[in-house]
Amino acid sequence: MAKVKKTPRPKAETPKGFRDYFGAEVAARKAMLDAIAEVYHLYGFEALETAAVETVEALGKFLPDVDRPNEGVFAWQEDDEDWVALRYDMTAPLARVAAQYRQDLPSPYRRYAMGPVWRNEKPGPGRFRQFYQCDADTVGAPSVAADAEICAMLSDTLEAVGIPRGDYVIRVNNRKVLDGVLEAAGLPDTDDNASTRGIVLRTIDKHDKFGDAGVRALLTEGRKDESGDFTKGAGLASEQVDLILGFVNGKGADTAATLDTLSSLVGDVAAGIEGVKELRDIAALLETQGYGPDRIVIDPAVVRGLGYYTGPVYEAELTFEVTDEKGRVREFGSVAGGGRYDDLVKRFTGQAVPATGMSIGVDRLLAALSATGRISQVEEGPVVVTVMDRDRMGDYMSMVRELRAAGIRAEVYLGNPKNFGNQLKYADKRNSPVAIIQGGDEDTRGVVQIKDLILGTKLAQNASLEEWKDRPNQYEVPRDQMVAKVRDIIESYS
Amino acid sequence: MAKVKKTPRPKAETPKGFRDYFGAEVAARKAMLDAIAEVYHLYGFEALETAAVETVEALGKFLPDVDRPNEGVFAWQEDDEDWVALRYDMTAPLARVAAQYRQDLPSPYRRYAMGPVWRNEKPGPGRFRQFYQCDADTVGAPSVAADAEICAMLSDTLEAVGIPRGDYVIRVNNRKVLDGVLEAAGLPDTDDNASTRGIVLRTIDKHDKFGDAGVRALLTEGRKDESGDFTKGAGLASEQVDLILGFVNGKGADTAATLDTLSSLVGDVAAGIEGVKELRDIAALLETQGYGPDRIVIDPAVVRGLGYYTGPVYEAELTFEVTDEKGRVREFGSVAGGGRYDDLVKRFTGQAVPATGMSIGVDRLLAALSATGRISQVEEGPVVVTVMDRDRMGDYMSMVRELRAAGIRAEVYLGNPKNFGNQLKYADKRNSPVAIIQGGDEDTRGVVQIKDLILGTKLAQNASLEEWKDRPNQYEVPRDQMVAKVRDIIESYS
């Protein structure tokens, strides 16, 4: 018989750009998403879970004259030749659902969605091709009350997950005000101006980085950077740039001052007047509910997303300082954003449907909670019942059972029990608070040994040495007091 | 200027074989998975969340002489030519993780995984290409104590999600006993017997359907079915079939009787004796912990999976009766299963690693909870504050805010408020318990109208008409008693 050709051993590797999440990481994200979902639910939002797979047609990732999906998605062709792909965000599936079920869904439709999305991009350090998004949107509500609601909900959400008031601010701007300012500056929304307006949008997006002078240079004659490279200017007149910079820097001492500044900038341009009124309404609605500018503030400096959204835009920033990987102290920055986009469903039905919503950067917010010590990196492990005598496994499993019945996470050591040191090493690796030991002698005497495994860590941390140093790290107690003693030890550290 | 060719409107459709989950469906599944995870966690199991994407190599879905992944997976080729695919179960990623991180993971490694898996199969009614799996496995524990633990955990899990004791049973069998029986029947595990043994395994898998007589016919001379079609027999001798059927029907009046029967069937065949001892150990370990045969029972009739597993196998069946889609009353049947498979990691490392685990059929278990009325099909909606005067939106939003602060799910109507009937229809569609109404007159008088929306449903259900019929369905209360009254109404129905 011919020898069968063997397949070489496969490599045990996570595919490039993807990663695995273990114990504490999964638990921390779940706890955060649960807290977020609770707020969303209280606000009347409903969960929606679509499949990971969408038709490429529904995702809008076909270019009109190209017969393959364009870049950025993981796509494949079905047996019937249709192209499908993994969703790259939560908005495209919402648009599809809002169109597909428009007869059945309540209107307005408030929904939230949490789950992974996939991007077919070159992976890099800290950049993954699968990550979580957490979105909340209201479809079918034309009033800016819906935008105000999203902002209030975002504020409540940040506090619910553990960002204290004062450590965050939600800034609100409005695309219509910018449109008004551009029209007042002699750049109304016409085909002729499309290119210039695009340049203005992209330039003010870099105001954070380049400052007033840089933006002015870029919008007029051009700018030479530190390396000497020259970027051609947009050729606007200085008076035009005054208006644009007046807008970006329009935040005043209080909301009234900001709105006055914006009013004067847009003059009598209808779109601008409407935009300012919307901001005024949002501020008033929030003020009535007690959300002052310490939490949600009108701030025209929010320019990110202005090119995409059609009305109000909002962005949540964490204002506490962190030290970045290069050792620089800086504000933590943005963790969520959103706005109004009224063309969501139109692509499918031809009918414009007003929609507004936000997306929380799940990994960013988790990183923020981690940076401020609000989530622990290690999960507390189970109590480990060691095995001194493998013929008495039933007794050890009964101990574990009693502990679990008392709500204490516990397990029996299931590896080879021969080497007792390995059992304690295992307990250490599991971050176990306590190990239980009962050999033949203890069994005869009706007792167990309870080893405190936290104490060593506490002493190593050295924080409150005095408190712990005289404490024994092992106790002998009667078998029927095992659960009570374990509980005592665990509670003494919590 | 030439007219730009327009893309036709995309179809708003879920891709074939996939589905969307809304509100109550998402909530019911989440509640069930949370309850399961709590039990797993208490048992010391750790969460593991791998990416949806694995290399096809790691999934083992390449045939040795084929250069495309074989069927059953959604696969695509990366830019660097590597093939990757969506995971089709939770076991393959576990095998990869157990191999990849074998230096860092605790051993034994207890892990659970919950999430969607994808199958590239022809979709059919009720058959979807994305569905949830919920697995728990212990890797690196050679002792059957690990199998006993999984069975006990499965029992606790079923009760935790709401299946009462008595409505389920977990049956345990062992592949080694079958191997022993086959060897005792003159069919030892040799190359020559491989084909016959395979036929025996596949035939006893149909014992449920064909009964003793059918299995006997199929294993000897062949069987003619009701339509007259003849299936060729395996050509075994009647004495051989006696042993095999003796095994399948080996369950006795109690565990001791079952084990005695199995002992006599395997005679002095070493593998069989070992298998019977394993079952005896499992039964003893479970008995010590109080899991009697009313919950977990040794039953050689469990044949599903015997071809795949290498040691103990287990299956959880729900024993209550349901009426199926054809009107027949039958037992609900299997919702979970598992067993020991000691070759998990070997494919990657060449080293055999013992592993045992189980998988819960998430949709099956949800269906069971639904069939017994343990999960509600509709989620209770939010209190809806209606909008009588759109200029007073701030007041309405403040009402909503007060309700939420009291933990009551609430929202303001955000659609066009002109048609008040639409607002009540909306509340109805949302399954709202209560609507709040405050027009100018009520505002002046400092009161609100509170409309009980549950009452109508209760009266329609007609269950306890006497209890509700004299109850008013609308109340006028002072504004500052709004929250208290809403709470009263909601609590009166719960």
Side-chain angles (χ1 to χ4, degrees):
Chain A
M1 204 173 106
K3 202 166 175 190
V4 177
K5 197 187 149 198
K6 273 206 176 164
T7 323
R9 270 188 211 145
K11 281 192 284 291
E13 281 176 6
T14 321
K16 287 182 212 85
F18 294 91
R19 56 162 294 193
D20 303 300
Y21 293 84
F22 292 90
E25 297 166 316
V26 179
R29 184 173 55 207
K30 182 181 185 323
M32 190 182 86
L33 292 178
D34 282 356
I36 294 173
E38 203 179 319
V39 176
Y40 290 1
H41 185 261
L42 199 59
Y43 269 78
F45 283 67
E46 294 225 332
L48 169 67
E49 190 173 324
T50 59
V53 179
E54 295 280 343
T55 66
V56 170
E57 183 186 353
L59 289 180
K61 281 286 181 180
F62 264 122
L63 296 175
D65 50 355
V66 174
D67 65 354
R68 284 183 64 94
N70 54 337
E71 298 207 338
V73 294
F74 292 106
W76 62 91
Q77 206 164 7
E78 294 266 86
D79 290 340
D80 62 5
E81 312 253 294
D82 285 348
W83 281 91
V84 294
L86 295 179
R87 65 178 174 225
Y88 61 91
D89 71 4
M90 294 297 195
T91 306
L94 171 61
R96 194 259 304 154
V97 164
Q100 182 172 348
Y101 305 93
R102 62 188 180 282
Q103 309 299 343
D104 305 312
L105 289 173
S107 177
Y109 177 47
R110 288 173 173 92
R111 88 87 182 79
Y112 69 87
M114 298 172 166
V117 300
W118 293 266
R119 302 272 168 92
N120 193 357
E121 288 166 358
K122 217 178 144 73
R127 283 190 57 199
F128 295 99
R129 306 204 287 171
Q130 171 178 332
F131 54 92
Y132 267 70
Q133 282 196 342
C134 168
D135 285 23
D137 297 83
T138 302
V139 180
S143 150
V144 292
D147 301 275
E149 179 177 84
I150 296 272
C151 291
M153 186 164 80
L154 181 49
S155 169
D156 287 5
T157 298
L158 292 174
E159 294 184 17
V161 301
I163 307 287
R165 201 167 298 179
D167 267 5
Y168 71 92
V169 65
I170 297 161
R171 303 181 201 278
V172 183
N173 195 1
N174 195 330
R175 165 66 186 258
K176 290 177 186 168
V177 178
L178 174 63
D179 283 343
V181 169
L182 291 179
E183 189 170 338
L187 290 167
D189 188 5
T190 62
D191 284 353
D192 285 356
N193 290 326
S195 156
T196 308
R197 287 169 60 106
I199 293 171
V200 171
L201 274 170
R202 285 192 295 281
T203 307
I204 61 175
D205 204 20
K206 297 173 193 142
H207 183 255
D208 258 9
K209 196 172 156 194
F210 294 146
D212 278 8
V215 167
R216 181 173 292 277
L218 285 165
L219 289 181
T220 52
E221 278 113 39
R223 177 174 177 275
K224 194 186 278 187
D225 69 14
E226 283 139 35
S227 71
D229 284 349
F230 185 75
T231 308
K232 203 170 153 258
L236 296 191
S238 190
E239 298 74 34
Q240 291 179 301
V241 178
D242 288 347
L243 278 173
I244 292 163
L245 283 175
F247 167 72
V248 175
N249 297 314
K251 182 157 179 276
D254 57 25
T255 303
T258 305
L259 293 169
D260 283 352
T261 301
L262 296 179
S263 270
S264 70
L265 286 168
V266 300
D268 57 2
V269 176
I273 292 170
E274 189 185 326
V276 175
K277 180 181 182 309
E278 286 181 1
L279 288 179
R280 194 182 305 277
D281 287 350
I282 290 173
L285 286 170
L286 289 170
E287 193 74 47
T288 310
Q289 294 172 74
Y291 295 90
D294 57 322
R295 287 194 270 173
I296 308 174
V297 66
I298 307 296
D299 184 350
V302 176
V303 290
R304 209 163 60 171
L306 275 186
Y308 168 71
Y309 293 112
T310 56
V313 299
Y314 20 91
E315 185 156 5
E317 277 170 42
L318 304 190
T319 51
F320 58 81
E321 291 181 333
V322 287
T323 307
D324 70 13
E325 59 282 4
K326 289 177 184 157
R328 288 174 305 210
V329 174
R330 54 166 184 79
E331 276 200 358
F332 189 88
S334 176
V335 290
R340 179 167 284 273
Y341 47 104
D342 284 346
D343 294 338
L344 183 71
V345 185
K346 197 175 177 185
R347 223 166 52 77
F348 293 102
T349 63
Q351 229 175 340
V353 173
T356 186
M358 63 153 156
S359 187
I360 291 177
V362 173
D363 292 323
R364 286 280 296 160
L365 189 52
L366 270 173
L369 295 176
S370 184
T372 55
R374 285 188 193 92
I375 39 180
S376 91
Q377 305 299 321
V378 273
E379 204 175 14
E380 181 164 285
V383 170
V384 170
V385 173
T386 59
V387 175
M388 298 296 283
D389 175 356
R390 68 167 76 204
D391 291 334
R392 290 188 43 244
M393 187 56 99
D395 293 344
Y396 299 129
M397 288 183 95
S398 295
M399 292 180 191
V400 160
R401 175 139 195 87
E402 278 171 45
L403 289 163
R404 286 176 192 147
I408 298 169
R409 192 179 188 207
E411 53 169 60
V412 67
Y413 181 72
L414 282 180
N416 186 334
K418 228 188 284 178
N419 182 334
F420 188 70
N422 279 350
Q423 300 198 42
L424 291 182
K425 270 185 216 152
Y426 171 84
D428 191 48
K429 202 161 201 172
R430 291 302 309 276
N431 197 33
S432 301
V434 163
I436 310 278
I437 304 160
Q438 192 195 50
D441 168 58
E442 281 96 357
D443 183 31
T444 310
R445 293 190 292 117
V447 299
V448 294
Q449 301 289 337
I450 299 182
K451 202 172 167 65
D452 177 341
L453 302 172
I454 309 178
L455 186 63
T457 321
K458 293 280 176 193
L459 288 175
Q461 286 167 349
N462 204 17
S464 47
L465 193 58
E466 289 310 310
E467 195 181 337
W468 311 114
K469 71 172 183 185
D470 295 326
R471 181 168 167 155
N473 80 338
Q474 188 161 326
Y475 307 85
E476 180 176 299
V477 299
R479 170 69 180 79
D480 61 7
Q481 286 169 36
M482 177 191 71
V483 171
K485 185 67 194 171
V486 169
R487 197 201 310 269
D488 279 355
I489 296 176
I490 293 174
E491 283 176 358
S492 72
Y493 290 109
S494 62
Chain B
M1 205 172 106
K3 199 166 175 188
V4 176
K5 195 187 149 200
K6 271 208 177 161
T7 321
R9 269 188 212 146
K11 282 193 284 291
E13 281 175 6
T14 322
K16 286 182 213 86
F18 294 91
R19 55 162 296 193
D20 303 300
Y21 293 84
F22 293 89
E25 297 168 315
V26 179
R29 184 173 55 208
K30 182 182 184 323
M32 191 182 86
L33 292 179
D34 282 357
I36 293 174
E38 205 179 315
V39 177
Y40 290 1
H41 186 261
L42 200 57
Y43 268 78
F45 282 66
E46 294 227 332
L48 168 68
E49 190 173 324
T50 59
V53 180
E54 294 280 344
T55 66
V56 170
E57 182 186 353
L59 289 180
K61 281 287 182 178
F62 265 125
L63 296 174
D65 50 355
V66 175
D67 65 353
R68 285 184 64 93
N70 55 335
E71 297 206 336
V73 294
F74 292 106
W76 63 91
Q77 206 165 9
E78 295 265 86
D79 290 342
D80 61 6
E81 311 255 292
D82 285 348
W83 283 91
V84 294
L86 295 179
R87 64 176 175 225
Y88 62 91
D89 71 3
M90 294 299 196
T91 306
L94 170 62
R96 194 259 304 154
V97 164
Q100 182 172 349
Y101 304 95
R102 62 189 180 281
Q103 308 299 342
D104 305 313
L105 289 174
S107 176
Y109 177 47
R110 289 173 172 92
R111 87 88 181 78
Y112 68 88
M114 298 172 166
V117 300
W118 293 266
R119 300 273 168 93
N120 192 358
E121 289 165 359
K122 219 178 145 73
R127 284 191 57 199
F128 295 99
R129 306 206 286 171
Q130 173 178 332
F131 54 91
Y132 267 70
Q133 282 195 344
C134 169
D135 285 23
D137 297 84
T138 302
V139 180
S143 151
V144 291
D147 302 273
E149 178 178 85
I150 296 273
C151 291
M153 186 164 81
L154 181 50
S155 169
D156 288 4
T157 299
L158 292 174
E159 294 185 18
V161 302
I163 307 288
R165 201 167 297 179
D167 267 7
Y168 71 90
V169 65
I170 297 162
R171 303 182 202 278
V172 183
N173 196 359
N174 195 330
R175 164 67 186 258
K176 289 178 186 167
V177 178
L178 175 62
D179 282 344
V181 170
L182 291 179
E183 190 170 336
L187 291 167
D189 188 6
T190 62
D191 284 353
D192 285 354
N193 290 326
S195 156
T196 309
R197 287 169 62 106
I199 292 172
V200 171
L201 274 171
R202 286 192 297 280
T203 306
I204 61 175
D205 205 18
K206 294 173 197 144
H207 182 256
D208 259 10
K209 197 171 154 194
F210 293 147
D212 278 7
V215 166
R216 182 174 292 276
L218 285 166
L219 290 181
T220 53
E221 277 112 42
R223 178 176 177 273
K224 194 184 279 187
D225 69 14
E226 283 139 35
S227 71
D229 285 348
F230 184 76
T231 309
K232 201 168 154 263
L236 296 191
S238 190
E239 299 73 37
Q240 291 180 301
V241 179
D242 288 346
L243 278 174
I244 292 163
L245 283 175
F247 167 71
V248 175
N249 297 314
K251 182 160 179 271
D254 57 24
T255 304
T258 306
L259 293 170
D260 282 352
T261 302
L262 295 180
S263 270
S264 69
L265 286 169
V266 299
D268 57 1
V269 176
I273 292 170
E274 189 185 327
V276 176
K277 179 181 184 308
E278 286 182 0
L279 289 179
R280 194 183 305 277
D281 287 349
I282 291 173
L285 287 171
L286 290 170
E287 193 74 46
T288 311
Q289 295 173 74
Y291 294 90
D294 58 322
R295 289 193 270 174
I296 308 174
V297 64
I298 306 297
D299 185 351
V302 176
V303 289
R304 209 163 62 171
L306 275 186
Y308 168 71
Y309 293 112
T310 55
V313 300
Y314 19 92
E315 184 155 7
E317 277 171 41
L318 304 189
T319 51
F320 58 83
E321 290 182 334
V322 288
T323 307
D324 70 13
E325 59 281 3
K326 289 178 184 159
R328 288 175 303 211
V329 174
R330 53 166 186 80
E331 277 201 357
F332 190 88
S334 176
V335 290
R340 179 168 284 273
Y341 45 105
D342 283 346
D343 294 337
L344 183 72
V345 186
K346 198 175 176 186
R347 223 167 52 78
F348 292 102
T349 63
Q351 229 175 341
V353 174
T356 187
M358 65 153 157
S359 187
I360 291 177
V362 173
D363 292 322
R364 286 279 298 160
L365 189 53
L366 270 173
L369 295 176
S370 185
T372 54
R374 287 190 192 89
I375 43 179
S376 89
Q377 306 299 320
V378 274
E379 205 176 13
E380 180 163 284
V383 169
V384 170
V385 174
T386 60
V387 175
M388 299 295 285
D389 177 355
R390 68 166 77 201
D391 291 336
R392 290 187 43 242
M393 188 56 101
D395 292 344
Y396 300 128
M397 288 183 93
S398 295
M399 291 180 192
V400 161
R401 176 142 194 82
E402 278 171 43
L403 289 163
R404 286 175 192 150
I408 299 168
R409 193 179 187 206
E411 52 169 60
V412 69
Y413 181 73
L414 282 180
N416 187 333
K418 230 189 281 178
N419 180 335
F420 188 70
N422 280 349
Q423 300 199 42
L424 290 184
K425 270 185 217 152
Y426 170 84
D428 192 47
K429 202 160 200 172
R430 290 305 307 277
N431 196 34
S432 301
V434 162
I436 310 279
I437 305 160
Q438 192 194 52
D441 168 57
E442 282 95 355
D443 184 31
T444 311
R445 293 190 291 118
V447 298
V448 294
Q449 300 289 337
I450 299 183
K451 203 172 166 62
D452 178 341
L453 301 173
I454 307 178
L455 187 63
T457 320
K458 293 279 175 194
L459 288 175
Q461 286 167 349
N462 204 17
S464 48
L465 193 58
E466 290 308 311
E467 194 182 339
W468 312 111
K469 72 172 183 188
D470 294 327
R471 182 168 167 153
N473 79 338
Q474 189 160 327
Y475 307 85
E476 179 176 299
V477 300
R479 170 69 179 80
D480 59 8
Q481 286 169 34
M482 177 189 72
V483 171
K485 186 68 196 170
V486 169
R487 197 203 306 269
D488 280 354
I489 295 176
I490 292 175
E491 283 176 358
S492 73
Y493 290 109
S494 62

